[in-house]
Amino acid sequence: MIARILILLSGVLILASCQSDSTRRNTADAQIEKRIDELISRMTVEEKIGQTNQLTVYGTTEELCEKIRNGEIGSLLNVVDPADINTLQRAAVEQSRLGIPLLIARDVIHGFRTVFPIPLGQAATFDPALVEQGARIAAIEASAAGIRWTFSPMLDISRDPRWGRIAESAGEDPCLTSAMGAAMVKGYQGEGADDPTSVAACAKHFVGYGASESGRDYNSTNLTERQLRNVYLPPFEQAVRSGAMTLMTSFNDNDGIPSTGNRFLLEEVLRNEWGFDGMVVTDWNSAGEMVSHGFAADTKDAAMKAINAGVDMDMMSHVFSLHLEDLIDEGTVDEQRLDEAVRNILRVKFRLGLFENPYIDTARIARVTYAPEHLEAARRTAEESAVLLRNEGGILPLDASALRSVLVAGPMADAPAEQLGTWTFDGEPDHTVTPLAAIRAAYGDRLRIGYNPVAAYSREKVTAAKLAAFTAQAASYDAILLFVGEEAILSGEAHCLADLNLQGSQSELIAAARRSGKPVVTVVMAGRPLTIARDLANTDALLYSFHPGTMGGPALIDLIFGNAVPSGKLPVTFPVATGQIPIYYARNMTGRPAAGNELLLDEIPVGAGQTSLGCTSYHLDAGFGPLFPFGFGLSYTTFKYADLQLDKETYLPTETIRASCRLTNTGKRTATEVVQLYVRDRVGSTVRPVKELKAFDRITLEPGQSRTVEFELPAEDLAFWGLDMQKRVEPGTFDLWIAGDSQSGNSVTFTIN
Ligand code: BGC
């Protein structure tokens, strides 16, 4: 039982541990602040500017060491060899005037060597504890290589699957993204930041980047302050509350202001409202790019605008190292602002214990990489992240004992690098287990397993003759397992698409499999929701696996053969057609909502009058609804929701709403359901979303078993930024659902007085 209760309980525990942590933190902080003061008092302006300068590795180690000895570099990214890191660190600690250690950074986005599913897949687990474990493992492996700062979690609310970076996000929802982000922060930073296996988290990209116009990367966003505060900022606030030590500004300009020069966001919101005392880094060259934006006249102007807005460290645009000294001399930048930036940077270095433990045990990496428990966690995450979208006639799970042969096909069946997904600099295809390898290992002795990729890679266009030969081959097997999707390079940064249909000949491949007359099971491995409406009709079952990482193969084969039961739910809405984008469940209530009986293109009589169509909000060719809603996912069992109840009808804004329902496993398999609690605020001082996710939990039930699932929702969680741009709970009537996705279920009503 106890959905939110669990969340709440863990909230209470977190709170409890936060309290004891914060006492420790205060003492440590006082000592740290003293050490920072002492250090800053001895620093020259050049040395201070050096701390604000982050560079990627370049040239020879000796060239870098020279700059480090001179105090010109505060942080390096993309160095991953422990011995090299020790050499560089020695230059900083033993050979520079002040001995300030370097902060070594890397994009460890979903695992280091052991690669977990892409973050969008991790979000599909709705399992923060598992996600926290994955981040912990990533930190253990990365810190063994000498990395103490990762540019993760990515907290951009992503409602546009054209945007390639949706792969790095937790999807469309602020509540889910906040939970996933907090879990990652805790996992990366571990028990205490000064633990040598802890890695500083970086909440990015601050802010609004996921709303890039037309889903094209680096494009402008135009979010109002209210949208920012109600939707885009909450995951960052939660990350700050969870102790995220750093934060990265985003590339986009919002309403004409590049994030890297946005003083309102960096000073007012982040520092003053949220009390953030960590460090703000730019994205790669985003300070320099304010010149391309036409927001800064030249790189000097850019440096001035970035530091005065509240940026502490410049990643790779060199504008601080080039211009800060002159800007201070001229008085356009106050040296106190520079001191504050240095203070924020040094605080992270002190908290990480780098002054005490600057070096790495170079033998550790061999001991920790690919530890069995790391691989097992990666396998389990891949298993929980897969979402079953279709299962006609309950064809899945396949019964291996009832089959003699299986044909494994498609370009993703044996594509180790592709299944790792985007941002896997350190993942190794050689250690990756593909579905083909997994099925051979598990069933090779019992089944005749054929293999035909048909297309060598996802974009390849194959001939009709090749497809016809495949149909003929498929007819000689008992079942076809098709692995299609996207190569890793098709999603991630700068990899946006305007057409979201399966690439190359993959839809034709699914149709060719269908023509064999044999059962067809399709697995889509992709970095984003694809428009798969036309493919669904040609497959008996479809399992969606956001690029599942190192252990994707065994996880998927276990699911297909019923050694595991799908429990993943969609963290993002799947559109019928690309033209519906942005389509997300928490849309505002419109004045003319679709009624569901609207005429579609083919149903409209020729010559129909202008006002004959009902005048509601929908597309003539795609209708109104999504292909699959947020929160959706099938299981091998069925769940029944009943007895939705509240403990009261009326609450004060200070009270807690206790909601419960009876969940029954009405099928034949033990399985886990992601139970979701949604709320609608019927009337607000500004228009409110149709529904908002407020809590969720994973509940496991045996066949026939029932359980009362209870949630505790503090009424203050209903607060939003309304007409007067203040955050508060507005009294009135609310609807509440507990359901298995964002579109189903009955509701109960309560009021807030
Ligand atoms: C990306 C960031 C990343 C940084 C460092 C940038 O291009 O936008 O997300 O952390 O590079 O690699």
Side-chain angles (χ1 to χ4, degrees):
M1 350 203 313
I2 11 190
R4 172 71 180 207
I5 290 195
L6 270 189
I7 293 176
L8 199 84
L9 265 185
S10 65
V12 171
L13 292 176
I14 293 164
L15 211 71
S17 70
C18 272
Q19 278 162 354
S20 47
D21 272 0
S22 71
T23 326
R24 273 203 306 275
R25 181 52 111 60
N26 286 341
T27 331
D29 278 354
Q31 285 165 2
I32 285 175
E33 296 308 309
K34 235 174 104 194
R35 289 174 75 183
I36 295 173
D37 284 340
E38 193 274 327
L39 200 46
I40 289 184
S41 71
R42 291 196 289 131
M43 291 172 86
T44 63
V45 169
E46 291 88 335
E47 283 164 334
K48 290 175 188 172
I49 294 169
Q51 285 303 306
T52 68
N53 187 25
Q54 183 185 48
L55 297 182
T56 192
V57 274
Y58 68 94
T60 64
T61 304
E62 184 39 42
E63 278 169 320
L64 273 177
C65 282
E66 190 51 31
K67 274 181 118 41
I68 294 166
R69 280 183 210 111
N70 292 338
E72 293 174 51
I73 302 177
S75 171
L76 280 172
L77 73 155
N78 297 333
V79 45
V80 281
D81 181 84
D84 281 352
I85 291 175
N86 278 346
T87 306
L88 296 163
Q89 201 63 288
R90 201 158 289 121
V93 173
E94 295 171 31
Q95 296 153 19
S96 77
R97 194 177 78 88
L98 295 168
I100 302 174
L102 294 165
L103 186 49
I104 304 293
R106 180 76 159 169
D107 289 277
V108 181
I109 306 297
H110 49 113
F112 185 63
R113 292 276 160 73
T114 305
V115 176
F116 285 71
I118 54 171
L120 191 59
Q122 294 191 36
T125 67
F126 283 71
D127 191 343
L130 190 63
V131 169
E132 180 181 337
Q133 188 191 7
R136 186 82 287 274
I137 288 168
I140 289 170
E141 292 191 358
S143 62
I147 294 153
R148 297 298 305 281
W149 184 18
T150 178
F151 301 125
S152 173
M154 194 269 224
L155 301 174
D156 297 313
I157 296 298
S158 303
R159 294 175 165 181
D160 192 333
R162 294 171 299 183
W163 192 49
R165 303 201 80 167
I166 195 171
E168 296 172 55
S169 79
E172 73 183 43
D173 184 65
C175 170
L176 182 61
T177 302
S178 298
M180 292 296 145
M184 286 190 185
V185 168
K186 280 162 63 192
Y188 290 135
Q189 298 188 173
E191 286 301 305
D194 58 351
D195 176 325
T197 70
S198 133
V199 164
C202 183
K204 73 182 187 187
H205 307 85
F206 198 67
V207 59
Y209 185 31
S212 297
E213 278 185 353
S214 84
R216 205 178 69 229
D217 214 352
Y218 316 124
N219 208 359
S220 297
T221 62
N222 286 292
L223 299 164
T224 64
E225 183 182 342
R226 199 177 339 272
Q227 285 172 310
L228 283 174
R229 288 190 180 277
N230 283 332
V231 179
Y232 291 82
L233 287 169
F236 287 92
E237 186 175 5
Q238 180 64 49
V240 167
R241 284 217 197 112
S242 306
M245 296 169 80
T246 76
L247 178 137
M248 184 188 291
T249 61
S250 57
F251 285 126
N252 58 298
D253 71 282
N254 186 55
D255 190 21
I257 306 172
S259 301
T260 303
N262 194 326
R263 195 178 150 74
F264 168 71
L265 289 172
L266 297 178
E267 284 297 322
E268 286 306 313
V269 177
L270 180 66
R271 300 281 180 196
N272 298 345
E273 291 181 24
W274 300 350
F276 181 63
D277 70 354
M279 177 232 291
V280 174
V281 65
T282 70
D283 202 343
W284 184 290
N285 193 32
S286 70
E289 285 165 20
M290 291 201 287
V291 178
S292 316
H293 273 290
F295 186 76
D298 50 30
T299 53
K300 188 173 172 187
D301 194 27
M304 190 266 285
K305 289 193 161 127
I307 192 128
N308 283 345
V311 166
D312 301 317
M313 183 178 277
D314 168 33
M315 183 197 291
M316 280 308 292
S317 67
H318 311 277
V319 299
F320 285 180
S321 54
L322 285 171
H323 303 298
L324 276 188
E325 200 172 347
D326 288 347
L327 289 165
I328 287 170
D329 285 347
E330 290 162 14
T332 34
V333 171
D334 195 334
E335 193 174 344
Q336 272 181 4
R337 171 73 267 273
L338 176 62
D339 286 356
E340 193 181 286
V342 173
R343 178 176 292 280
N344 294 335
I345 295 164
L346 292 178
R347 191 176 291 124
V348 173
K349 293 185 176 186
F350 275 113
R351 283 182 179 163
L352 284 170
L354 285 171
F355 284 83
E356 289 72 31
N357 290 307
Y359 303 118
I360 316 138
D361 165 7
T362 53
R364 179 152 66 96
I365 184 136
R367 288 199 300 274
V368 302
T369 303
Y370 301 122
E373 65 273 21
H374 297 187
L375 294 174
E376 171 51 22
R379 192 200 57 73
R380 200 171 138 217
T381 312
E383 182 186 299
E384 286 191 15
S385 72
V387 187
L388 183 65
L389 295 179
R390 179 178 170 90
N391 194 15
E392 278 308 292
I395 186 176
L396 284 180
L398 296 180
D399 178 357
S401 65
L403 298 170
R404 279 163 300 131
S405 61
V406 170
L407 178 60
V408 176
M412 296 297 285
D414 195 32
E418 312 308 341
Q419 79 180 48
L420 293 182
T422 186
W423 282 117
T424 49
F425 292 141
D426 306 290
E428 295 165 308
D430 286 357
H431 283 78
T432 299
V433 190
T434 67
L436 180 66
I439 191 175
R440 281 182 173 152
Y443 297 100
D445 56 345
R446 275 176 276 171
L447 296 174
R448 178 169 68 93
I449 298 170
Y451 171 54
N452 182 359
V454 188
Y457 55 97
S458 68
R459 284 164 295 156
E460 195 191 4
K461 295 206 168 54
V462 299
T463 61
K466 208 168 178 185
L467 291 168
F470 172 68
T471 304
Q473 180 192 14
S476 68
Y477 286 83
D478 292 343
I480 329 292
L481 299 186
L482 275 183
F483 293 87
V484 296
E486 293 184 306
E487 297 148 68
I489 192 67
L490 299 184
S491 60
E493 181 175 353
H495 299 107
C496 304
L497 289 169
D499 178 346
L500 298 180
N501 286 333
L502 280 168
Q503 296 287 329
S505 300
Q506 296 184 105
S507 287
E508 290 77 6
L509 174 60
I510 299 173
R514 172 52 112 218
R515 283 195 291 276
S516 72
K518 295 301 170 74
V520 180
V521 172
T522 302
V523 177
V524 180
M525 294 155 109
R528 55 159 69 77
L530 294 170
T531 42
I532 50 169
R534 64 179 174 165
D535 307 306
L536 284 170
N538 287 328
T539 185
D540 297 290
L542 191 138
L543 200 52
Y544 212 91
S545 170
F546 297 105
H547 288 134
T550 304
M551 296 300 282
L556 289 166
I557 296 304
D558 275 350
L559 288 166
I560 289 167
F561 287 95
N563 303 318
V565 179
S567 60
K569 300 271 188 166
L570 295 178
V572 56
T573 302
F574 271 47
V576 175
T578 312
Q580 290 178 300
I581 297 169
I583 178 169
Y584 51 94
Y585 83 94
R587 62 192 179 275
N588 275 2
M589 295 190 266
T590 84
R592 294 189 174 187
N597 57 0
E598 284 77 11
L599 292 185
L600 292 180
L601 214 52
D602 294 341
E603 298 157 340
I604 302 169
V606 176
Q610 168 69 25
T611 54
S612 63
L613 292 183
C615 295
T616 64
S617 178
Y618 78 108
H619 290 109
L620 293 181
D621 49 355
F624 168 73
L627 183 62
F628 296 109
F630 174 88
F632 178 82
L634 300 168
S635 169
Y636 294 157
T637 194
T638 43
F639 291 99
K640 189 174 134 224
Y641 287 77
D643 300 338
L644 177 58
Q645 284 179 14
L646 298 174
D647 62 329
K648 298 205 290 180
E649 286 173 4
T650 302
Y651 303 87
L652 295 171
T654 48
E655 289 183 319
T656 292
I657 299 146
R658 292 186 170 75
S660 65
C661 77
R662 192 87 189 144
L663 182 72
T664 307
N665 180 343
T666 47
K668 295 195 172 59
R669 287 178 161 264
T670 299
T672 301
E673 168 74 333
V674 176
V675 180
Q676 302 155 46
L677 185 149
Y678 294 90
V679 170
R680 175 188 298 166
D681 185 351
R682 284 200 190 166
V683 179
S685 62
T686 56
V687 174
R688 304 294 296 131
V690 167
K691 269 184 188 181
E692 291 176 291
L693 181 73
K694 291 292 175 188
F696 56 87
D697 197 14
R698 294 173 57 89
I699 306 290
T700 303
L701 295 177
E702 289 169 11
Q705 192 186 354
S706 283
R707 194 187 282 183
T708 299
V709 181
E710 296 175 5
F711 287 88
E712 292 202 348
L713 179 71
E716 64 182 18
D717 282 9
L718 304 171
F720 69 101
W721 298 79
L723 194 59
D724 57 1
M725 205 54 90
Q726 296 296 316
K727 187 179 183 189
R728 69 167 70 88
V729 184
E730 293 186 3
T733 306
F734 293 75
D735 301 300
L736 183 149
W737 294 255
I738 300 179
D741 63 65
S742 61
Q743 263 184 13
S744 61
N746 302 319
S747 61
V748 284
T749 299
F750 65 91
T751 53
I752 299 281
N753 271 341

